[in-house]
Amino acid sequence: MTSFTPPGSSPDIDVDQLLLMLRRKQKTWVDWGMACQQLQKAGYSPQQIFEESGIEPIQQNQIVVAGQVYQNLKDKGAEAACQYFGERRSDILYEFRVLNQEGRAEAATLAAEKQLDADEARAIAKAMKEYSRLSETPVGFTDTPGDAMAYRCWYFARQKDDLQERSRLIGQGLKFAHSDSAREKLQMLLSDFSVVKAKEAPRLPFFRLESEEELPRLMPVVGHLPLTVDDLKAVPVVEEEEPFGMVQFSGSCTWVPVPGWQVILRAEDPVALLAQVQDLGPDLPRPTEEVLVIIDRDQRQWHEDCYFLIEVDGQLQVQWFAEAPEQKLYGQVVLVMRPKRILDENFTKDPWHTDE
């Protein structure tokens, strides 16, 4: 197979020599991992390396990551582990990628001593991660990988009423226990058959939105009438992020959520104004109260069935026009929202009142 040099390849490496070494499986897996890493930095994709060397992308990832763990062992002076893993079992070191440098060295040393397989190595890594999250070291156990695994076995063995499964966990824990006190804790379970049931985690309160109206639309508030055109223009255009309509904004602005009614969802550039009912027209029905006026600044084409925002004597006003006006339109009124009506606010606060 003819090798090739992709664009951006580093002139400092001998690509052909690296590919030949990988193809012939010369040297050790540590060297293969370094070669794959160098080729990737030189511009080769994992698929290209596979086509040139026969080493599949998933294997490349394993030996590259395991090689980084191996380098951590060297940095920590874990000579026995380095000697053991130097020519074998990259899959074991790959499992220790989730640990910090100190933990990797300790776990690898234990794995070398016990000659663990990949499943046992994965269990050790998981036990060490869980052990590190405990607020304090459990009584009878020490801060060692072996005792971390022993504690995990002890913890789960106490919850088993199946004697065969309980015994299996105790035996596994005794295999890894580092301290005498940890062994004693496990051996006590051989005569103490009481079952300690673990508390089950509660169910998360999942809820799926079933309609668009349930997801409010967040929009900026220009202010309370009277307002100027400059006030309207100072409010930024809002860009929502799906799927929850999140808004990123830097600066000072007041925001209001409005239900996701269709008229609101159709608005391209909505903003909100606060106003009194009489500010919108003299003949509007009472009672006089504060309302939220939603303006779509993107809709500036006159239509006889709509109200629009215009400027009169330097201030914004809401007006209707029977014919196309000469004034500049600054947006269409898409909704006027009254506040929620509460007949008796004190009544709703009484916990003993229920609906009939």
Side-chain angles (χ1 to χ4, degrees), residues 177-197:
H178 175 78
S179 64
D180 292 337
S181 56
R183 292 190 189 90
E184 291 175 3
K185 294 276 288 187
L186 285 160
Q187 288 169 349
M188 288 174 62
L189 296 182
L190 294 173
S191 57
D192 181 3
F193 299 104
S194 58
V195 177
V196 180
K197 289 295 184 183

Short mmCIF file of all heavy atoms in Angstrom, two decimals, residues 177-197:
data_model
loop_
_atom_site.label_atom_id
_atom_site.label_comp_id
_atom_site.label_asym_id
_atom_site.label_seq_id
_atom_site.Cartn_x
_atom_site.Cartn_y
_atom_site.Cartn_z
N ALA A 177 -9.11 -6.18 49.49
CA ALA A 177 -8.91 -5.43 50.73
C ALA A 177 -7.42 -5.23 51.02
O ALA A 177 -6.63 -6.17 50.98
CB ALA A 177 -9.59 -6.16 51.88
N HIS A 178 -7.08 -3.99 51.32
CA HIS A 178 -5.68 -3.66 51.59
C HIS A 178 -5.36 -3.70 53.08
O HIS A 178 -4.30 -4.17 53.48
CB HIS A 178 -5.38 -2.27 51.04
CG HIS A 178 -4.01 -1.77 51.36
ND1 HIS A 178 -2.88 -2.18 50.68
CD2 HIS A 178 -3.57 -0.89 52.31
CE1 HIS A 178 -1.81 -1.58 51.18
NE2 HIS A 178 -2.20 -0.79 52.17
N SER A 179 -6.29 -3.22 53.91
CA SER A 179 -6.04 -3.14 55.35
C SER A 179 -6.70 -4.30 56.08
O SER A 179 -7.68 -4.89 55.61
CB SER A 179 -6.58 -1.82 55.90
OG SER A 179 -7.99 -1.76 55.76
N ASP A 180 -6.13 -4.62 57.26
CA ASP A 180 -6.71 -5.68 58.09
C ASP A 180 -8.11 -5.29 58.56
O ASP A 180 -9.00 -6.15 58.67
CB ASP A 180 -5.82 -5.94 59.31
CG ASP A 180 -4.49 -6.56 58.91
OD1 ASP A 180 -4.43 -7.18 57.82
OD2 ASP A 180 -3.51 -6.41 59.67
N SER A 181 -8.31 -4.01 58.85
CA SER A 181 -9.62 -3.57 59.33
C SER A 181 -10.68 -3.74 58.26
O SER A 181 -11.84 -4.08 58.55
CB SER A 181 -9.56 -2.11 59.78
OG SER A 181 -9.08 -1.27 58.73
N ALA A 182 -10.32 -3.53 56.99
CA ALA A 182 -11.28 -3.74 55.90
C ALA A 182 -11.64 -5.21 55.78
O ALA A 182 -12.81 -5.56 55.56
CB ALA A 182 -10.70 -3.22 54.59
N ARG A 183 -10.65 -6.08 55.96
CA ARG A 183 -10.92 -7.52 55.91
C ARG A 183 -11.87 -7.92 57.04
O ARG A 183 -12.79 -8.73 56.84
CB ARG A 183 -9.62 -8.31 56.01
CG ARG A 183 -8.71 -8.15 54.80
CD ARG A 183 -7.54 -9.14 54.85
NE ARG A 183 -6.57 -8.84 53.81
CZ ARG A 183 -5.53 -8.02 53.97
NH1 ARG A 183 -5.32 -7.46 55.16
NH2 ARG A 183 -4.70 -7.78 52.98
N GLU A 184 -11.65 -7.34 58.20
CA GLU A 184 -12.51 -7.66 59.34
C GLU A 184 -13.95 -7.23 59.09
O GLU A 184 -14.90 -7.95 59.44
CB GLU A 184 -11.98 -6.98 60.60
CG GLU A 184 -10.66 -7.56 61.11
CD GLU A 184 -10.10 -6.77 62.28
OE1 GLU A 184 -10.79 -5.82 62.73
OE2 GLU A 184 -8.99 -7.09 62.75
N LYS A 185 -14.13 -6.06 58.47
CA LYS A 185 -15.48 -5.58 58.17
C LYS A 185 -16.19 -6.55 57.23
O LYS A 185 -17.38 -6.83 57.40
CB LYS A 185 -15.40 -4.19 57.53
CG LYS A 185 -14.86 -3.10 58.44
CD LYS A 185 -15.93 -2.52 59.34
CE LYS A 185 -16.89 -1.65 58.58
NZ LYS A 185 -17.84 -0.95 59.49
N LEU A 186 -15.46 -7.06 56.27
CA LEU A 186 -16.06 -8.00 55.32
C LEU A 186 -16.33 -9.35 55.97
O LEU A 186 -17.38 -9.97 55.74
CB LEU A 186 -15.13 -8.16 54.11
CG LEU A 186 -15.12 -6.99 53.13
CD1 LEU A 186 -13.85 -7.03 52.28
CD2 LEU A 186 -16.36 -7.04 52.23
N GLN A 187 -15.39 -9.82 56.79
CA GLN A 187 -15.55 -11.12 57.44
C GLN A 187 -16.72 -11.13 58.42
O GLN A 187 -17.36 -12.17 58.63
CB GLN A 187 -14.26 -11.51 58.14
CG GLN A 187 -13.14 -11.89 57.17
CD GLN A 187 -11.79 -12.01 57.84
OE1 GLN A 187 -11.62 -11.61 59.01
NE2 GLN A 187 -10.80 -12.53 57.12
N MET A 188 -17.03 -9.96 58.99
CA MET A 188 -18.17 -9.88 59.92
C MET A 188 -19.48 -10.19 59.20
O MET A 188 -20.42 -10.69 59.82
CB MET A 188 -18.23 -8.48 60.55
CG MET A 188 -17.14 -8.21 61.57
SD MET A 188 -17.17 -6.48 62.15
CE MET A 188 -18.80 -6.40 62.90
N LEU A 189 -19.52 -9.92 57.91
CA LEU A 189 -20.75 -10.18 57.16
C LEU A 189 -20.99 -11.68 56.97
O LEU A 189 -22.10 -12.10 56.61
CB LEU A 189 -20.69 -9.50 55.79
CG LEU A 189 -20.62 -7.96 55.79
CD1 LEU A 189 -20.62 -7.43 54.36
CD2 LEU A 189 -21.79 -7.36 56.56
N LEU A 190 -19.94 -12.49 57.19
CA LEU A 190 -20.10 -13.94 57.05
C LEU A 190 -20.95 -14.52 58.17
O LEU A 190 -21.53 -15.60 58.02
CB LEU A 190 -18.72 -14.61 57.03
CG LEU A 190 -17.84 -14.28 55.82
CD1 LEU A 190 -16.45 -14.86 56.01
CD2 LEU A 190 -18.47 -14.80 54.55
N SER A 191 -21.00 -13.83 59.30
CA SER A 191 -21.81 -14.29 60.42
C SER A 191 -23.00 -13.39 60.71
O SER A 191 -23.92 -13.78 61.43
CB SER A 191 -20.94 -14.39 61.69
OG SER A 191 -20.32 -13.14 61.97
N ASP A 192 -22.97 -12.18 60.15
CA ASP A 192 -24.09 -11.24 60.34
C ASP A 192 -24.90 -11.22 59.04
O ASP A 192 -24.47 -10.68 58.02
CB ASP A 192 -23.54 -9.85 60.64
CG ASP A 192 -24.65 -8.83 60.86
OD1 ASP A 192 -25.84 -9.22 60.83
OD2 ASP A 192 -24.34 -7.64 61.03
N PHE A 193 -26.08 -11.84 59.10
CA PHE A 193 -26.89 -11.98 57.89
C PHE A 193 -27.99 -10.93 57.77
O PHE A 193 -28.88 -11.05 56.94
CB PHE A 193 -27.51 -13.39 57.83
CG PHE A 193 -26.49 -14.48 57.80
CD1 PHE A 193 -26.22 -15.24 58.94
CD2 PHE A 193 -25.80 -14.76 56.62
CE1 PHE A 193 -25.27 -16.25 58.90
CE2 PHE A 193 -24.86 -15.77 56.59
CZ PHE A 193 -24.59 -16.51 57.72
N SER A 194 -27.94 -9.91 58.64
CA SER A 194 -28.95 -8.85 58.55
C SER A 194 -28.78 -8.09 57.24
O SER A 194 -27.66 -7.87 56.77
CB SER A 194 -28.82 -7.89 59.74
OG SER A 194 -27.52 -7.32 59.78
N VAL A 195 -29.89 -7.69 56.66
CA VAL A 195 -29.90 -7.00 55.37
C VAL A 195 -30.19 -5.52 55.59
O VAL A 195 -31.16 -5.16 56.25
CB VAL A 195 -30.95 -7.61 54.42
CG1 VAL A 195 -31.00 -6.83 53.10
CG2 VAL A 195 -30.65 -9.07 54.16
N VAL A 196 -29.32 -4.69 55.07
CA VAL A 196 -29.49 -3.23 55.16
C VAL A 196 -29.89 -2.73 53.78
O VAL A 196 -29.06 -2.64 52.88
CB VAL A 196 -28.19 -2.55 55.63
CG1 VAL A 196 -28.40 -1.03 55.72
CG2 VAL A 196 -27.74 -3.12 56.96
N LYS A 197 -31.15 -2.43 53.62
CA LYS A 197 -31.64 -1.98 52.33
C LYS A 197 -31.23 -0.53 52.08
O LYS A 197 -31.37 0.33 52.94
CB LYS A 197 -33.17 -2.08 52.26
CG LYS A 197 -33.67 -3.53 52.19
CD LYS A 197 -33.24 -4.20 50.89
CE LYS A 197 -33.82 -5.59 50.76
NZ LYS A 197 -33.36 -6.28 49.52
#
